[in-house]
Amino acid sequence: MAAKSTKVTVKANKQILADSVKKILFVASESTPFIATGGLAEVIGSLSKALSDTGKFDVRVVIPLFSDIKKEYKDKFSYLGNIYVHLAWRNQYCGIFSYVNDGVTFYFIDNEYYFKRPGCYGYFDDGERFAFFSKCVLEIMPFLDFYPDVMHCHDWQAALAAIYLKTNYCFRQEYQFIRALFTIHNIEYQGQYSLDLLCDLFDIFGEYRYLVEYKNSINLMKGAIECCERFSTVSPRYAQEIKEAYFAHGLEEIVRRNEFKLSGILNGIDDKGYNCELDKHLFANFKPDDFTNKSVCKSELQKMLSLPEKPDTPIISMVSRLVSHKGLDLVTAVLEEFLQDDVQVVILGTGEAYFEDYFRYLARKYPDKLSANIVFNGDLSRKIYSGSDIFLMPSKSEPCGLSQMIACRYGTVPIVRETGGLFDSIKPLHNGYTFTNYNAHDMLYVLRQAVSDYKNKPEWSKLMYRAATTDFSWSHSAKKYEALYYDMLK
Ligand code: GLC
């Protein structure tokens, strides 16, 4: 009798446990390790894992099956089946593939017409492509028999999933308990289209026009903010900033009106992936309490980039998209002046032709001082993070920024402008340097301060140690998402 009742209790506990595991569906356009064009992918890959590791969530992720997804993974995907999905008058094939990576189930939406193209974005029909993707997200739920408690949509490409959920699907019983969280990784890209496309292309019924209409266009990010139960940004500071016109790219009114449901949660990074003790991309591995081998990383980097091997000359690096809001106006204004000092500067990234050409030109003019690498190269980026001394990130605006955290992990001291996640993650003289105003000479002043401090080796080593041991893992922020999900489910 006693044995039977224990069994019953164990079964009941298991049931309670299963019931208390909340189902989360991430909806995004990219994710590591499959496909990445920027920080969004890293956050989707690492946050989904961090949440799944808590044991409290069944986290699944859905992204399009882009043809650029790495073959090593694509070959291992399982085909689950296919359905047909309506998008206004269209009725399109939707293949569903899946793959479990580190405990997280990923789903891939297959449609060759929309996604078998090089790259992820930049096509004339991006609006239609992501409308189709978003529709599929809702349509695969009955196929998978997976209705999440929280559907967590990221950036404008996933905005329509939240919009459809609260409009076209709101009368369907299975969908009624799904809460939507919309995370803004960058408010600059909003998904704006002509209002003519409302019904015919976006499949939004006329009575819902007011939700997506903004300044005489369709604005998908605006629509998602209106429709979701909560929305968030990737740092607390950015959540404050986007209430201001200067940062909000026209959405400030909408952000302010919906402020009651806004929160800012700082991104973490995959601190196991970015680990100076284990990273195989480095010329040598080292520990935060013994930077001896970091000098090997530095001299090998100098050799590789044809810079003079000078151990005591600081290397200042930038790994960045070469676009204006990354603060490149400040850099171009004072770089030549700065290069007169005993320094070496390493640039890695691609972007606007003006900046690419400028750095190429300066590299030719100062071959012993400046190395311009106008490419996107993950391996080289890690060699630069680990082989340099100072990392510059003077962004005009920065929702979160991951590079300053990655630099820290390799004992490279960041200099950042106090905006968005840069403000939240880097504390002056604790783990880096900061400057407040978007002003080239303020930046130059701090650069020179850091170069001068670099000569004081004992103090500099302490600063490197504090940078390298700052906790940028997801442990704090995953708890904040956890609290937010539970709050939404009350
Ligand atoms: C976007 C933002 C960047 C952020 C990343 C991940 O790329 O521009 O600041 O770190 O998303 O959230």
Side-chain angles (χ1 to χ4, degrees), residues 436-470:
T436 310
N437 298 324
Y438 193 68
N439 174 303
H441 281 89
D442 284 8
M443 179 185 80
L444 183 61
Y445 178 84
V446 177
L447 266 168
R448 287 189 162 143
Q449 180 67 49
V451 167
S452 138
D453 292 352
Y454 167 80
K455 299 196 176 94
N456 180 345
K457 292 291 175 217
E459 285 307 311
W460 189 260
S461 296
K462 286 185 202 157
L463 181 56
M464 285 164 79
Y465 176 79
R466 290 196 298 271
T469 53
T470 307

PDB file of all heavy atoms in Angstrom, residues 436-470:
ATOM      1  N   THR A 436      31.659  60.458 -22.697  1.00  0.00           N
ATOM      2  CA  THR A 436      30.227  60.738 -22.698  1.00  0.00           C
ATOM      3  C   THR A 436      29.731  61.325 -24.008  1.00  0.00           C
ATOM      4  O   THR A 436      28.776  60.831 -24.595  1.00  0.00           O
ATOM      5  CB  THR A 436      29.891  61.732 -21.551  1.00  0.00           C
ATOM      6  OG1 THR A 436      30.489  61.232 -20.374  1.00  0.00           O
ATOM      7  CG2 THR A 436      28.402  61.866 -21.350  1.00  0.00           C
ATOM      8  N   ASN A 437      30.363  62.392 -24.453  1.00  0.00           N
ATOM      9  CA  ASN A 437      29.815  63.120 -25.604  1.00  0.00           C
ATOM     10  C   ASN A 437      30.277  62.512 -26.908  1.00  0.00           C
ATOM     11  O   ASN A 437      31.389  61.987 -27.000  1.00  0.00           O
ATOM     12  CB  ASN A 437      30.250  64.581 -25.553  1.00  0.00           C
ATOM     13  CG  ASN A 437      29.714  65.248 -24.306  1.00  0.00           C
ATOM     14  OD1 ASN A 437      28.594  64.953 -23.874  1.00  0.00           O
ATOM     15  ND2 ASN A 437      30.519  66.100 -23.701  1.00  0.00           N
ATOM     16  N   TYR A 438      29.420  62.647 -27.905  1.00  0.00           N
ATOM     17  CA  TYR A 438      29.784  62.148 -29.226  1.00  0.00           C
ATOM     18  C   TYR A 438      30.681  63.190 -29.871  1.00  0.00           C
ATOM     19  O   TYR A 438      30.243  64.042 -30.651  1.00  0.00           O
ATOM     20  CB  TYR A 438      28.523  61.898 -30.060  1.00  0.00           C
ATOM     21  CG  TYR A 438      28.817  61.101 -31.301  1.00  0.00           C
ATOM     22  CD1 TYR A 438      29.198  59.774 -31.209  1.00  0.00           C
ATOM     23  CD2 TYR A 438      28.741  61.677 -32.563  1.00  0.00           C
ATOM     24  CE1 TYR A 438      29.490  59.031 -32.343  1.00  0.00           C
ATOM     25  CE2 TYR A 438      29.031  60.943 -33.709  1.00  0.00           C
ATOM     26  CZ  TYR A 438      29.413  59.625 -33.583  1.00  0.00           C
ATOM     27  OH  TYR A 438      29.712  58.891 -34.707  1.00  0.00           O
ATOM     28  N   ASN A 439      31.959  63.130 -29.460  1.00  0.00           N
ATOM     29  CA  ASN A 439      32.894  64.189 -29.831  1.00  0.00           C
ATOM     30  C   ASN A 439      34.270  63.546 -30.052  1.00  0.00           C
ATOM     31  O   ASN A 439      34.779  62.824 -29.192  1.00  0.00           O
ATOM     32  CB  ASN A 439      32.924  65.196 -28.663  1.00  0.00           C
ATOM     33  CG  ASN A 439      33.956  66.265 -28.844  1.00  0.00           C
ATOM     34  OD1 ASN A 439      35.149  65.977 -28.998  1.00  0.00           O
ATOM     35  ND2 ASN A 439      33.515  67.512 -28.827  1.00  0.00           N
ATOM     36  N   ALA A 440      34.854  63.812 -31.225  1.00  0.00           N
ATOM     37  CA  ALA A 440      36.082  63.125 -31.610  1.00  0.00           C
ATOM     38  C   ALA A 440      37.232  63.425 -30.652  1.00  0.00           C
ATOM     39  O   ALA A 440      38.042  62.548 -30.336  1.00  0.00           O
ATOM     40  CB  ALA A 440      36.459  63.513 -33.029  1.00  0.00           C
ATOM     41  N   HIS A 441      37.323  64.658 -30.166  1.00  0.00           N
ATOM     42  CA  HIS A 441      38.448  64.974 -29.297  1.00  0.00           C
ATOM     43  C   HIS A 441      38.269  64.446 -27.881  1.00  0.00           C
ATOM     44  O   HIS A 441      39.252  64.143 -27.210  1.00  0.00           O
ATOM     45  CB  HIS A 441      38.788  66.470 -29.368  1.00  0.00           C
ATOM     46  CG  HIS A 441      39.586  66.755 -30.618  1.00  0.00           C
ATOM     47  ND1 HIS A 441      38.980  67.072 -31.815  1.00  0.00           N
ATOM     48  CD2 HIS A 441      40.920  66.640 -30.878  1.00  0.00           C
ATOM     49  CE1 HIS A 441      39.925  67.184 -32.751  1.00  0.00           C
ATOM     50  NE2 HIS A 441      41.109  66.915 -32.207  1.00  0.00           N
ATOM     51  N   ASP A 442      37.027  64.284 -27.457  1.00  0.00           N
ATOM     52  CA  ASP A 442      36.805  63.590 -26.172  1.00  0.00           C
ATOM     53  C   ASP A 442      37.300  62.152 -26.304  1.00  0.00           C
ATOM     54  O   ASP A 442      37.944  61.604 -25.404  1.00  0.00           O
ATOM     55  CB  ASP A 442      35.317  63.564 -25.809  1.00  0.00           C
ATOM     56  CG  ASP A 442      34.826  64.914 -25.298  1.00  0.00           C
ATOM     57  OD1 ASP A 442      35.611  65.892 -25.382  1.00  0.00           O
ATOM     58  OD2 ASP A 442      33.671  64.997 -24.843  1.00  0.00           O
ATOM     59  N   MET A 443      36.999  61.549 -27.449  1.00  0.00           N
ATOM     60  CA  MET A 443      37.453  60.166 -27.675  1.00  0.00           C
ATOM     61  C   MET A 443      38.982  60.099 -27.721  1.00  0.00           C
ATOM     62  O   MET A 443      39.591  59.230 -27.083  1.00  0.00           O
ATOM     63  CB  MET A 443      36.873  59.636 -28.988  1.00  0.00           C
ATOM     64  CG  MET A 443      37.312  58.221 -29.309  1.00  0.00           C
ATOM     65  SD  MET A 443      36.745  57.683 -30.924  1.00  0.00           S
ATOM     66  CE  MET A 443      37.967  58.461 -31.969  1.00  0.00           C
ATOM     67  N   LEU A 444      39.585  61.059 -28.427  1.00  0.00           N
ATOM     68  CA  LEU A 444      41.044  61.058 -28.550  1.00  0.00           C
ATOM     69  C   LEU A 444      41.705  61.235 -27.180  1.00  0.00           C
ATOM     70  O   LEU A 444      42.707  60.587 -26.862  1.00  0.00           O
ATOM     71  CB  LEU A 444      41.474  62.182 -29.511  1.00  0.00           C
ATOM     72  CG  LEU A 444      42.967  62.273 -29.801  1.00  0.00           C
ATOM     73  CD1 LEU A 444      43.480  60.993 -30.451  1.00  0.00           C
ATOM     74  CD2 LEU A 444      43.275  63.469 -30.723  1.00  0.00           C
ATOM     75  N   TYR A 445      41.096  62.085 -26.367  1.00  0.00           N
ATOM     76  CA  TYR A 445      41.622  62.323 -25.023  1.00  0.00           C
ATOM     77  C   TYR A 445      41.652  61.005 -24.228  1.00  0.00           C
ATOM     78  O   TYR A 445      42.667  60.660 -23.605  1.00  0.00           O
ATOM     79  CB  TYR A 445      40.749  63.376 -24.320  1.00  0.00           C
ATOM     80  CG  TYR A 445      41.185  63.661 -22.921  1.00  0.00           C
ATOM     81  CD1 TYR A 445      42.213  64.575 -22.655  1.00  0.00           C
ATOM     82  CD2 TYR A 445      40.599  62.996 -21.843  1.00  0.00           C
ATOM     83  CE1 TYR A 445      42.636  64.811 -21.356  1.00  0.00           C
ATOM     84  CE2 TYR A 445      41.011  63.228 -20.546  1.00  0.00           C
ATOM     85  CZ  TYR A 445      42.027  64.138 -20.305  1.00  0.00           C
ATOM     86  OH  TYR A 445      42.450  64.370 -19.020  1.00  0.00           O
ATOM     87  N   VAL A 446      40.568  60.272 -24.286  1.00  0.00           N
ATOM     88  CA  VAL A 446      40.485  59.010 -23.529  1.00  0.00           C
ATOM     89  C   VAL A 446      41.431  57.962 -24.125  1.00  0.00           C
ATOM     90  O   VAL A 446      42.077  57.208 -23.388  1.00  0.00           O
ATOM     91  CB  VAL A 446      39.028  58.486 -23.485  1.00  0.00           C
ATOM     92  CG1 VAL A 446      38.948  57.160 -22.761  1.00  0.00           C
ATOM     93  CG2 VAL A 446      38.136  59.489 -22.795  1.00  0.00           C
ATOM     94  N   LEU A 447      41.531  57.952 -25.457  1.00  0.00           N
ATOM     95  CA  LEU A 447      42.473  57.022 -26.099  1.00  0.00           C
ATOM     96  C   LEU A 447      43.885  57.272 -25.579  1.00  0.00           C
ATOM     97  O   LEU A 447      44.619  56.344 -25.221  1.00  0.00           O
ATOM     98  CB  LEU A 447      42.470  57.250 -27.612  1.00  0.00           C
ATOM     99  CG  LEU A 447      41.543  56.379 -28.460  1.00  0.00           C
ATOM    100  CD1 LEU A 447      41.441  56.929 -29.871  1.00  0.00           C
ATOM    101  CD2 LEU A 447      42.042  54.929 -28.495  1.00  0.00           C
ATOM    102  N   ARG A 448      44.257  58.557 -25.549  1.00  0.00           N
ATOM    103  CA  ARG A 448      45.624  58.888 -25.104  1.00  0.00           C
ATOM    104  C   ARG A 448      45.812  58.584 -23.620  1.00  0.00           C
ATOM    105  O   ARG A 448      46.890  58.165 -23.198  1.00  0.00           O
ATOM    106  CB  ARG A 448      45.918  60.360 -25.417  1.00  0.00           C
ATOM    107  CG  ARG A 448      46.129  60.541 -26.914  1.00  0.00           C
ATOM    108  CD  ARG A 448      46.624  61.912 -27.263  1.00  0.00           C
ATOM    109  NE  ARG A 448      47.209  61.910 -28.603  1.00  0.00           N
ATOM    110  CZ  ARG A 448      47.096  62.917 -29.465  1.00  0.00           C
ATOM    111  NH1 ARG A 448      46.442  64.014 -29.135  1.00  0.00           N
ATOM    112  NH2 ARG A 448      47.669  62.839 -30.643  1.00  0.00           N
ATOM    113  N   GLN A 449      44.749  58.776 -22.854  1.00  0.00           N
ATOM    114  CA  GLN A 449      44.802  58.423 -21.428  1.00  0.00           C
ATOM    115  C   GLN A 449      45.085  56.919 -21.276  1.00  0.00           C
ATOM    116  O   GLN A 449      45.955  56.506 -20.500  1.00  0.00           O
ATOM    117  CB  GLN A 449      43.446  58.777 -20.791  1.00  0.00           C
ATOM    118  CG  GLN A 449      43.349  58.465 -19.313  1.00  0.00           C
ATOM    119  CD  GLN A 449      44.275  59.352 -18.490  1.00  0.00           C
ATOM    120  OE1 GLN A 449      44.271  60.563 -18.679  1.00  0.00           O
ATOM    121  NE2 GLN A 449      45.061  58.751 -17.626  1.00  0.00           N
ATOM    122  N   ALA A 450      44.372  56.122 -22.056  1.00  0.00           N
ATOM    123  CA  ALA A 450      44.540  54.668 -21.968  1.00  0.00           C
ATOM    124  C   ALA A 450      45.946  54.267 -22.420  1.00  0.00           C
ATOM    125  O   ALA A 450      46.596  53.426 -21.779  1.00  0.00           O
ATOM    126  CB  ALA A 450      43.486  53.969 -22.828  1.00  0.00           C
ATOM    127  N   VAL A 451      46.435  54.883 -23.489  1.00  0.00           N
ATOM    128  CA  VAL A 451      47.771  54.556 -23.991  1.00  0.00           C
ATOM    129  C   VAL A 451      48.822  54.908 -22.933  1.00  0.00           C
ATOM    130  O   VAL A 451      49.788  54.172 -22.723  1.00  0.00           O
ATOM    131  CB  VAL A 451      48.038  55.291 -25.334  1.00  0.00           C
ATOM    132  CG1 VAL A 451      49.506  55.229 -25.714  1.00  0.00           C
ATOM    133  CG2 VAL A 451      47.167  54.698 -26.425  1.00  0.00           C
ATOM    134  N   SER A 452      48.596  56.001 -22.239  1.00  0.00           N
ATOM    135  CA  SER A 452      49.551  56.390 -21.205  1.00  0.00           C
ATOM    136  C   SER A 452      49.457  55.425 -20.000  1.00  0.00           C
ATOM    137  O   SER A 452      50.468  54.974 -19.467  1.00  0.00           O
ATOM    138  CB  SER A 452      49.302  57.866 -20.840  1.00  0.00           C
ATOM    139  OG  SER A 452      49.380  58.072 -19.484  1.00  0.00           O
ATOM    140  N   ASP A 453      48.230  55.034 -19.614  1.00  0.00           N
ATOM    141  CA  ASP A 453      48.068  54.072 -18.499  1.00  0.00           C
ATOM    142  C   ASP A 453      48.673  52.716 -18.856  1.00  0.00           C
ATOM    143  O   ASP A 453      49.142  51.991 -17.973  1.00  0.00           O
ATOM    144  CB  ASP A 453      46.578  53.871 -18.173  1.00  0.00           C
ATOM    145  CG  ASP A 453      45.950  55.118 -17.575  1.00  0.00           C
ATOM    146  OD1 ASP A 453      46.692  56.083 -17.271  1.00  0.00           O
ATOM    147  OD2 ASP A 453      44.708  55.143 -17.439  1.00  0.00           O
ATOM    148  N   TYR A 454      48.631  52.385 -20.125  1.00  0.00           N
ATOM    149  CA  TYR A 454      49.145  51.089 -20.596  1.00  0.00           C
ATOM    150  C   TYR A 454      50.619  50.911 -20.218  1.00  0.00           C
ATOM    151  O   TYR A 454      51.080  49.777 -19.994  1.00  0.00           O
ATOM    152  CB  TYR A 454      48.943  51.036 -22.122  1.00  0.00           C
ATOM    153  CG  TYR A 454      49.674  49.923 -22.824  1.00  0.00           C
ATOM    154  CD1 TYR A 454      49.169  48.623 -22.842  1.00  0.00           C
ATOM    155  CD2 TYR A 454      50.881  50.174 -23.486  1.00  0.00           C
ATOM    156  CE1 TYR A 454      49.853  47.611 -23.497  1.00  0.00           C
ATOM    157  CE2 TYR A 454      51.558  49.157 -24.140  1.00  0.00           C
ATOM    158  CZ  TYR A 454      51.053  47.880 -24.139  1.00  0.00           C
ATOM    159  OH  TYR A 454      51.715  46.875 -24.781  1.00  0.00           O
ATOM    160  N   LYS A 455      51.319  52.038 -20.090  1.00  0.00           N
ATOM    161  CA  LYS A 455      52.759  51.946 -19.775  1.00  0.00           C
ATOM    162  C   LYS A 455      53.002  51.543 -18.329  1.00  0.00           C
ATOM    163  O   LYS A 455      54.067  51.060 -17.977  1.00  0.00           O
ATOM    164  CB  LYS A 455      53.430  53.294 -20.070  1.00  0.00           C
ATOM    165  CG  LYS A 455      53.285  53.636 -21.542  1.00  0.00           C
ATOM    166  CD  LYS A 455      54.215  54.735 -22.002  1.00  0.00           C
ATOM    167  CE  LYS A 455      54.066  54.951 -23.489  1.00  0.00           C
ATOM    168  NZ  LYS A 455      53.114  56.010 -23.855  1.00  0.00           N
ATOM    169  N   ASN A 456      52.013  51.758 -17.480  1.00  0.00           N
ATOM    170  CA  ASN A 456      52.124  51.362 -16.078  1.00  0.00           C
ATOM    171  C   ASN A 456      51.686  49.894 -15.958  1.00  0.00           C
ATOM    172  O   ASN A 456      50.531  49.582 -15.675  1.00  0.00           O
ATOM    173  CB  ASN A 456      51.226  52.292 -15.247  1.00  0.00           C
ATOM    174  CG  ASN A 456      51.277  51.962 -13.767  1.00  0.00           C
ATOM    175  OD1 ASN A 456      51.751  50.896 -13.368  1.00  0.00           O
ATOM    176  ND2 ASN A 456      50.783  52.875 -12.961  1.00  0.00           N
ATOM    177  N   LYS A 457      52.656  49.005 -16.196  1.00  0.00           N
ATOM    178  CA  LYS A 457      52.314  47.579 -16.357  1.00  0.00           C
ATOM    179  C   LYS A 457      51.551  46.968 -15.179  1.00  0.00           C
ATOM    180  O   LYS A 457      50.542  46.279 -15.389  1.00  0.00           O
ATOM    181  CB  LYS A 457      53.570  46.748 -16.668  1.00  0.00           C
ATOM    182  CG  LYS A 457      54.154  47.039 -18.042  1.00  0.00           C
ATOM    183  CD  LYS A 457      53.240  46.538 -19.160  1.00  0.00           C
ATOM    184  CE  LYS A 457      53.809  46.950 -20.502  1.00  0.00           C
ATOM    185  NZ  LYS A 457      52.865  47.334 -21.519  1.00  0.00           N
ATOM    186  N   PRO A 458      52.000  47.195 -13.926  1.00  0.00           N
ATOM    187  CA  PRO A 458      51.258  46.526 -12.836  1.00  0.00           C
ATOM    188  C   PRO A 458      49.792  46.961 -12.786  1.00  0.00           C
ATOM    189  O   PRO A 458      48.889  46.132 -12.629  1.00  0.00           O
ATOM    190  CB  PRO A 458      51.990  46.988 -11.560  1.00  0.00           C
ATOM    191  CG  PRO A 458      53.296  47.535 -12.020  1.00  0.00           C
ATOM    192  CD  PRO A 458      53.158  47.944 -13.449  1.00  0.00           C
ATOM    193  N   GLU A 459      49.541  48.265 -12.945  1.00  0.00           N
ATOM    194  CA  GLU A 459      48.152  48.737 -12.896  1.00  0.00           C
ATOM    195  C   GLU A 459      47.360  48.232 -14.104  1.00  0.00           C
ATOM    196  O   GLU A 459      46.192  47.872 -14.005  1.00  0.00           O
ATOM    197  CB  GLU A 459      48.106  50.279 -12.861  1.00  0.00           C
ATOM    198  CG  GLU A 459      48.477  50.874 -11.512  1.00  0.00           C
ATOM    199  CD  GLU A 459      47.651  50.293 -10.360  1.00  0.00           C
ATOM    200  OE1 GLU A 459      46.419  50.245 -10.480  1.00  0.00           O
ATOM    201  OE2 GLU A 459      48.253  49.860  -9.346  1.00  0.00           O
ATOM    202  N   TRP A 460      48.049  48.239 -15.260  1.00  0.00           N
ATOM    203  CA  TRP A 460      47.361  47.796 -16.481  1.00  0.00           C
ATOM    204  C   TRP A 460      46.956  46.324 -16.378  1.00  0.00           C
ATOM    205  O   TRP A 460      45.866  45.930 -16.775  1.00  0.00           O
ATOM    206  CB  TRP A 460      48.251  48.040 -17.707  1.00  0.00           C
ATOM    207  CG  TRP A 460      47.521  47.809 -18.992  1.00  0.00           C
ATOM    208  CD1 TRP A 460      47.570  46.711 -19.783  1.00  0.00           C
ATOM    209  CD2 TRP A 460      46.588  48.698 -19.627  1.00  0.00           C
ATOM    210  NE1 TRP A 460      46.743  46.848 -20.876  1.00  0.00           N
ATOM    211  CE2 TRP A 460      46.128  48.070 -20.803  1.00  0.00           C
ATOM    212  CE3 TRP A 460      46.102  49.983 -19.312  1.00  0.00           C
ATOM    213  CZ2 TRP A 460      45.207  48.659 -21.671  1.00  0.00           C
ATOM    214  CZ3 TRP A 460      45.188  50.572 -20.180  1.00  0.00           C
ATOM    215  CH2 TRP A 460      44.756  49.913 -21.335  1.00  0.00           C
ATOM    216  N   SER A 461      47.840  45.506 -15.796  1.00  0.00           N
ATOM    217  CA  SER A 461      47.500  44.077 -15.644  1.00  0.00           C
ATOM    218  C   SER A 461      46.272  43.898 -14.764  1.00  0.00           C
ATOM    219  O   SER A 461      45.431  43.023 -15.020  1.00  0.00           O
ATOM    220  CB  SER A 461      48.645  43.298 -14.992  1.00  0.00           C
ATOM    221  OG  SER A 461      49.738  43.338 -15.836  1.00  0.00           O
ATOM    222  N   LYS A 462      46.168  44.761 -13.743  1.00  0.00           N
ATOM    223  CA  LYS A 462      44.988  44.641 -12.865  1.00  0.00           C
ATOM    224  C   LYS A 462      43.719  44.987 -13.640  1.00  0.00           C
ATOM    225  O   LYS A 462      42.675  44.343 -13.483  1.00  0.00           O
ATOM    226  CB  LYS A 462      45.123  45.590 -11.666  1.00  0.00           C
ATOM    227  CG  LYS A 462      46.134  45.118 -10.650  1.00  0.00           C
ATOM    228  CD  LYS A 462      46.111  46.039  -9.451  1.00  0.00           C
ATOM    229  CE  LYS A 462      47.425  45.924  -8.695  1.00  0.00           C
ATOM    230  NZ  LYS A 462      47.702  47.109  -7.875  1.00  0.00           N
ATOM    231  N   LEU A 463      43.836  46.022 -14.485  1.00  0.00           N
ATOM    232  CA  LEU A 463      42.684  46.422 -15.296  1.00  0.00           C
ATOM    233  C   LEU A 463      42.300  45.293 -16.268  1.00  0.00           C
ATOM    234  O   LEU A 463      41.118  44.959 -16.428  1.00  0.00           O
ATOM    235  CB  LEU A 463      43.039  47.708 -16.064  1.00  0.00           C
ATOM    236  CG  LEU A 463      41.982  48.326 -16.969  1.00  0.00           C
ATOM    237  CD1 LEU A 463      40.695  48.628 -16.211  1.00  0.00           C
ATOM    238  CD2 LEU A 463      42.517  49.642 -17.589  1.00  0.00           C
ATOM    239  N   MET A 464      43.321  44.685 -16.881  1.00  0.00           N
ATOM    240  CA  MET A 464      43.056  43.564 -17.797  1.00  0.00           C
ATOM    241  C   MET A 464      42.368  42.424 -17.049  1.00  0.00           C
ATOM    242  O   MET A 464      41.425  41.810 -17.565  1.00  0.00           O
ATOM    243  CB  MET A 464      44.378  43.027 -18.381  1.00  0.00           C
ATOM    244  CG  MET A 464      44.985  43.899 -19.451  1.00  0.00           C
ATOM    245  SD  MET A 464      46.714  43.444 -19.711  1.00  0.00           S
ATOM    246  CE  MET A 464      46.576  41.989 -20.704  1.00  0.00           C
ATOM    247  N   TYR A 465      42.824  42.174 -15.852  1.00  0.00           N
ATOM    248  CA  TYR A 465      42.251  41.086 -15.068  1.00  0.00           C
ATOM    249  C   TYR A 465      40.770  41.355 -14.759  1.00  0.00           C
ATOM    250  O   TYR A 465      39.916  40.482 -14.907  1.00  0.00           O
ATOM    251  CB  TYR A 465      43.039  40.907 -13.756  1.00  0.00           C
ATOM    252  CG  TYR A 465      42.434  39.869 -12.849  1.00  0.00           C
ATOM    253  CD1 TYR A 465      42.647  38.514 -13.077  1.00  0.00           C
ATOM    254  CD2 TYR A 465      41.615  40.250 -11.776  1.00  0.00           C
ATOM    255  CE1 TYR A 465      42.065  37.551 -12.266  1.00  0.00           C
ATOM    256  CE2 TYR A 465      41.029  39.296 -10.957  1.00  0.00           C
ATOM    257  CZ  TYR A 465      41.259  37.946 -11.206  1.00  0.00           C
ATOM    258  OH  TYR A 465      40.677  37.000 -10.416  1.00  0.00           O
ATOM    259  N   ARG A 466      40.508  42.605 -14.364  1.00  0.00           N
ATOM    260  CA  ARG A 466      39.112  42.941 -14.036  1.00  0.00           C
ATOM    261  C   ARG A 466      38.230  42.846 -15.288  1.00  0.00           C
ATOM    262  O   ARG A 466      37.091  42.391 -15.219  1.00  0.00           O
ATOM    263  CB  ARG A 466      39.024  44.350 -13.431  1.00  0.00           C
ATOM    264  CG  ARG A 466      39.618  44.438 -12.023  1.00  0.00           C
ATOM    265  CD  ARG A 466      39.172  45.705 -11.332  1.00  0.00           C
ATOM    266  NE  ARG A 466      39.615  46.900 -12.035  1.00  0.00           N
ATOM    267  CZ  ARG A 466      40.772  47.533 -11.835  1.00  0.00           C
ATOM    268  NH1 ARG A 466      41.614  47.078 -10.915  1.00  0.00           N
ATOM    269  NH2 ARG A 466      41.081  48.616 -12.526  1.00  0.00           N
ATOM    270  N   ALA A 467      38.789  43.275 -16.425  1.00  0.00           N
ATOM    271  CA  ALA A 467      38.013  43.170 -17.675  1.00  0.00           C
ATOM    272  C   ALA A 467      37.745  41.695 -17.991  1.00  0.00           C
ATOM    273  O   ALA A 467      36.608  41.295 -18.274  1.00  0.00           O
ATOM    274  CB  ALA A 467      38.767  43.844 -18.819  1.00  0.00           C
ATOM    275  N   ALA A 468      38.806  40.895 -17.903  1.00  0.00           N
ATOM    276  CA  ALA A 468      38.691  39.484 -18.308  1.00  0.00           C
ATOM    277  C   ALA A 468      37.803  38.680 -17.359  1.00  0.00           C
ATOM    278  O   ALA A 468      37.280  37.632 -17.747  1.00  0.00           O
ATOM    279  CB  ALA A 468      40.073  38.855 -18.399  1.00  0.00           C
ATOM    280  N   THR A 469      37.635  39.157 -16.143  1.00  0.00           N
ATOM    281  CA  THR A 469      36.832  38.375 -15.194  1.00  0.00           C
ATOM    282  C   THR A 469      35.450  38.993 -14.940  1.00  0.00           C
ATOM    283  O   THR A 469      34.702  38.514 -14.089  1.00  0.00           O
ATOM    284  CB  THR A 469      37.562  38.211 -13.846  1.00  0.00           C
ATOM    285  OG1 THR A 469      37.936  39.514 -13.383  1.00  0.00           O
ATOM    286  CG2 THR A 469      38.791  37.342 -13.970  1.00  0.00           C
ATOM    287  N   THR A 470      35.116  40.043 -15.664  1.00  0.00           N
ATOM    288  CA  THR A 470      33.745  40.573 -15.534  1.00  0.00           C
ATOM    289  C   THR A 470      32.782  39.493 -16.028  1.00  0.00           C
ATOM    290  O   THR A 470      33.043  38.844 -17.039  1.00  0.00           O
ATOM    291  CB  THR A 470      33.560  41.840 -16.413  1.00  0.00           C
ATOM    292  OG1 THR A 470      34.586  42.776 -16.096  1.00  0.00           O
ATOM    293  CG2 THR A 470      32.202  42.479 -16.180  1.00  0.00           C
TER     294      THR A 470
END
